[in-house]
Amino acid sequence: MFARFVTLALAAVSVSAARYPSFGTLQTTNSSGVMNVVINNTYSEINLFDLHVQSDLANLIETLQANDTDIRVVVFSSANPQFFLAHIDINYFLPGYESPLPFFDPGIPNMTFPVALLWNITQLPQATIAVIEGRARGIGNEFLMSCDMRFATTSPSVLLAQLETSFGLNPGAGGAMYLAHEIGRGRTFEYVFASKDIDAVTAEKYGWINRAFDTSAELRDYVEALAARIALFPAGGIVGTKAGINAVSRPPMDVIIQQAQNIIGVLAQTSVTQAFSKKFVAATNNQSLGDLELNYGEELVSLFQ
Ligand SMILES: *[C@@H]1O[C@H](CO)[C@@H](O)[C@H](O)[C@H]1NC(C)=O
Ligand SMILES: *[C@@H]1O[C@H](CO)[C@@H](O)[C@H](O)[C@H]1NC(C)=O
Ligand SMILES: *[C@@H]1O[C@H](CO)[C@@H](O)[C@H](O)[C@H]1NC(C)=O
Ligand SMILES: *[C@@H]1O[C@H](CO)[C@@H](O)[C@H](O)[C@H]1NC(C)=O
Ligand SMILES: *[C@@H]1O[C@H](CO)[C@@H](O)[C@H](O)[C@H]1NC(C)=O
Ligand SMILES: *[C@@H]1O[C@H](CO)[C@@H](O)[C@H](O)[C@H]1NC(C)=O
């Protein structure tokens, strides 16, 4: 009886809090000030950053922004062993794309919805940590860049990339700008121009991620202890520290809008990018699990032959 009541009460809370449609792609559990968020896009074989994940993330962000919780740390991980977050749904750039989400964010002038999502993550009042055990490319990597900290396993399924240049695009949510700060200008040009995958060992060496662990257990233990420690401290310390680090190491909002988002907006309309996007959607069987999605960094060259 009591368990039944609790279940209903929780369901009612999440329904009344949801501003955008709920698709159940994020599973959250709370423990001692730490919220664990598992990204589980059941609409996609490759944990696509599609409208379902975006909608659920926007609702989650609204809850976390409220400051009325005892959550101090948010840990993002993935239910998909091959993909942390594959990339954006490429159909977003193609005619006929339909979504219940607004094109521009209603709260941030001139910022598109997915870019606003990531911007908002950079300034949540909690510390944010990504636990990476699969691929994250394009906006998947930009999501990682928007988190405060990134930890991975050395598993071969960890491959990170900004793949936009191969589409005739640029990283539209500012991923390359964040990377230039993390790994330096020359390495950013190398990886982003070439749309190359980086493995976890190299990513750790360059500073793309904080640290790589040999096993999933070591990764999870380390992050659990780190999160629990940070969660002991007063919220003001986290919020104040984040504001300062953001002030010196986050690209400014107008730079992201004008030099990332608005450029991708123009490039996405070009015939060369439209043609490549259609080719990609066809070659991946509409972004199904397969060789091209798994090994894009290696396989993409074949799309140009
Ligand atoms: C939460 O706190 C931050 C930092 O103090 C503040 O900027 C923001 O407006 C607060 N959010 C709400 C919904 O009160
Ligand atoms: C976790 O905490 C958030 C923020 O307080 C709350 O909205 C959510 O309902 C909690 N989730 C669970 C499963 O308790
Ligand atoms: C992801 O969601 C599906 C459908 O609800 C569920 O069967 C599966 O166990 C979930 N995976 C994880 C790792 O939570
Ligand atoms: C981003 O945060 C602003 C408040 O700063 C809010 O108005 C807007 O709805 C948020 N958008 C998303 C997509 O989270
Ligand atoms: C939004 O874009 C328009 C057109 O480029 C510009 O005139 C306006 O100043 C922008 N608003 C903000 C808040 O950046
Ligand atoms: C691809 O799948 C999405 C749903 O995930 C669907 O809306 C779209 O129409 C599909 N596109 C093609 C070309 O099959």
Side-chain angles (χ1 to χ4, degrees):
M1 184 63 193
F2 180 68
R4 186 176 151 78
F5 172 76
V6 167
T7 308
L8 289 174
L10 281 179
V13 166
S14 64
V15 168
S16 67
R19 172 178 182 185
Y20 295 107
S22 294
F23 296 103
T25 64
L26 303 177
Q27 277 128 30
T28 63
T29 49
N30 302 340
S31 149
S32 309
V34 178
M35 179 188 279
N36 282 289
V37 182
V38 181
I39 306 167
N40 185 7
N41 186 354
T42 47
Y43 298 82
S44 159
E45 293 175 357
I46 59 169
N47 239 8
L48 215 50
F49 192 85
D50 64 3
L51 67 92
H52 307 102
V53 170
Q54 289 178 43
S55 197
D56 287 339
L57 272 176
N59 289 331
L60 175 70
I61 285 168
E62 191 165 16
T63 306
L64 293 170
Q65 282 174 334
N67 295 337
D68 62 354
T69 79
D70 62 356
I71 303 294
R72 299 277 183 274
V73 184
V74 183
V75 178
F76 291 101
S77 62
S78 158
N80 187 320
Q82 302 285 5
F83 292 90
F84 180 89
L85 275 172
H87 48 71
I88 205 160
D89 179 358
I90 297 300
N91 294 294
Y92 177 70
F93 299 118
L94 294 173
Y97 178 76
E98 282 177 23
S99 168
L101 302 173
F103 186 78
F104 283 106
D105 188 88
I108 308 180
N110 294 347
M111 204 177 245
T112 63
F113 195 84
V115 176
L117 256 181
L118 299 194
W119 177 262
N120 283 352
I121 289 172
T122 65
Q123 55 191 12
L124 286 173
Q126 298 82 18
T128 53
I129 306 178
V131 169
I132 313 159
E133 299 200 69
R135 294 153 182 80
R137 300 192 180 102
I139 205 166
N141 188 65
E142 290 177 310
F143 178 94
L144 298 179
M145 290 289 132
S146 304
C147 293
D148 302 334
M149 294 161 268
R150 294 159 284 283
F151 298 93
T153 59
T154 56
S155 154
S157 52
V158 174
L159 294 170
L160 312 178
Q162 294 297 154
L163 44 62
E164 290 86 349
T165 312
S166 65
F167 281 74
L169 297 169
N170 63 306
M177 298 171 180
Y178 287 92
L179 264 185
H181 197 93
E182 301 284 5
I183 70 172
R185 180 175 157 85
R187 283 169 173 165
T188 300
F189 276 125
E190 178 188 350
Y191 277 87
V192 182
F193 274 171
S195 294
K196 273 206 309 186
D197 288 337
I198 193 165
D199 61 75
V201 172
T202 315
E204 178 193 47
K205 191 168 99 186
Y206 288 179
W208 190 314
I209 61 172
N210 288 41
R211 200 160 153 185
F213 296 88
D214 288 337
T215 66
S216 178
E218 285 172 87
L219 165 67
R220 302 239 169 204
D221 286 352
Y222 184 83
V223 170
E224 191 181 327
L226 178 67
R229 180 181 167 107
I230 296 170
L232 296 174
F233 308 147
I238 294 168
V239 172
T241 298
K242 191 183 284 207
I245 294 176
N246 273 342
V248 299
S249 64
R250 180 179 60 167
M253 180 188 274
D254 63 329
V255 172
I256 290 187
I257 291 175
Q258 288 160 34
Q259 307 303 331
Q261 171 198 290
N262 289 355
I263 293 175
I264 201 175
V266 172
L267 290 173
Q269 303 306 316
T270 59
S271 56
V272 67
T273 293
Q274 287 284 308
F276 188 80
S277 298
K278 285 181 193 142
K279 189 174 182 177
F280 178 84
V281 169
T284 55
N285 191 20
N286 202 3
Q287 306 166 108
S288 302
L289 181 61
D291 207 32
L292 188 52
E293 289 288 2
L294 286 167
N295 304 312
Y296 186 74
E298 296 289 332
E299 299 292 321
L300 77 91
V301 175
S302 67
L303 295 174
F304 291 87
Q305 284 158 357

